[in-house]
Amino acid sequence: MAETRALLTRAAAQLVAAGIDSPQLDARRLLAHVLRVEPGRLLLIDSVTPAQAAEFELLVTRRAEREPLQHLTGVAYFRHVELEVGPGVFVPRPETEVMTGWAIDRLRELVQSGAQPVVVELCAGSGAISKAIADEIPGCEQYAVEVSADALAWAERNLAATEIRLQLGDMADALPELDGTVDLVIANPPYIPLEAYESVTPEVRDHDPFVALFSGDDGLDAMRVLCEVGARLLRPGGWLCAEHAEVQAESAPAVFVADGRYGQVRDHRDLTDRPRFVTARRRG
């Protein structure tokens, strides 16, 4: 039998040496995954079997090689929902939770006014945003669009218990039957400039899908498409919100200002007080 505390101490030291940002947290989550318990219950477990220790040490080694924690456990958490993730789909990030919360607040206002909001998520990936909206604002008419078949397979699993209408396709020509009727368009599009490729952390660059990360020389190619699609889908007064890179605090909102079909263009900060997403309202 191996002592739990000693295992965690050695694992954390290995992850520190590998440059992992949250070594203690990752070690606890990996051991909890192996033992099939909540991380908070690890303090109640004094020792583990040799087989469990070997499985844990293998996972720690893979994490030290910068394989994403969520790929190792198969689970990602987003606001109040749990998601299945793995190779082929973008792992949802805490930063996106703030934008989703902003959108949920707008939808709650519509529901309180007696409306049944129509919501479209573009670049849906794992379906994290759509699932969170369905969890917190039930009763919306929801659609989600994803261009990658690999990512769509994960979204299908995550949204299977919902009534969200999920489809494979390019956002540029998605959902023409909804033109002019949508209350909210939301997206976490690819936005990393190609020139920043080498600076992206290995967990992201080597494991998240390229199509979900990079978007032209300035990172705004997808944002420009999103601006066009939003103007087509949204009803007058409908909202669009989209995530962007920290360095795009001015350039991302400028896309919507220059378009002319949007008003109330604002930029917003995330949990770390970094510029993170833009919102705009379709003019009448």
Side-chain angles (χ1 to χ4, degrees), residues 21-93:
D21 289 337
S22 52
Q24 290 83 8
L25 177 62
D26 285 17
R28 290 197 300 272
R29 287 184 174 175
L30 289 173
L31 186 55
H33 170 71
V34 169
L35 300 181
R36 307 295 188 265
V37 299
E38 293 296 322
R41 293 188 59 81
L42 289 177
L43 295 176
L44 304 177
I45 301 173
D46 294 327
S47 60
V48 302
T49 67
Q52 289 170 331
E55 181 183 356
F56 172 63
E57 289 165 357
L58 176 61
L59 290 176
V60 171
T61 297
R62 290 171 63 186
R63 182 70 187 104
E65 293 170 351
R66 308 306 287 267
E67 192 169 342
L69 174 69
Q70 295 87 350
H71 283 198
L72 299 174
T73 63
V75 175
Y77 299 97
F78 187 82
R79 290 182 69 86
H80 307 297
V81 301
E82 183 177 305
L83 303 148
E84 294 184 50
V85 295
V89 71
F90 180 82
V91 175
R93 307 295 200 269

Side-chain angles (χ1 to χ4, degrees), residues 122-123 145-147 169-175 187 189-190 221-227 229 232-233:
L122 302 173
C123 309
V145 179
E146 171 53 45
V147 72
D170 190 325
M171 68 171 169
D173 53 13
L175 303 169
D221 282 2
M223 193 71 74
R224 296 184 184 97
V225 175
L226 181 61
C227 177
V229 177
R232 169 171 63 81
L233 289 174

Side-chain angles (χ1 to χ4, degrees), residues 3-16 24 27 56:
E3 292 186 3
T4 303
R5 290 182 183 275
L7 274 177
L8 287 171
T9 298
R10 288 198 301 272
Q14 184 178 348
L15 296 178
V16 168
Q24 290 83 8
F56 172 63

Side-chain angles (χ1 to χ4, degrees), residues 17 38 43 54 84 86 151 164 168 173 176 223 256 265 269-270 274 283:
E38 293 296 322
L43 295 176
E84 294 184 50
I164 297 166
L168 179 69
D173 53 13
M223 193 71 74
F256 298 92
V265 180
R269 294 178 176 266
D270 62 18
R274 294 184 175 94
R283 296 186 190 275

Side-chain angles (χ1 to χ4, degrees), residues 96-114:
T96 311
E97 296 184 24
V98 179
M99 178 182 70
T100 305
W102 182 94
I104 285 170
D105 287 342
R106 302 291 78 73
L107 294 172
R108 185 173 289 115
E109 292 168 356
L110 286 171
V111 170
Q112 290 172 348
S113 72

Side-chain angles (χ1 to χ4, degrees), residues 159-184:
L159 302 180
T162 75
E163 296 183 359
I164 297 166
R165 279 161 270 195
L166 176 65
Q167 66 176 243
L168 179 69
D170 190 325
M171 68 171 169
D173 53 13
L175 303 169
E177 68 275 16
L178 297 181
D179 285 359
T181 68
V182 177
D183 295 290
L184 176 78

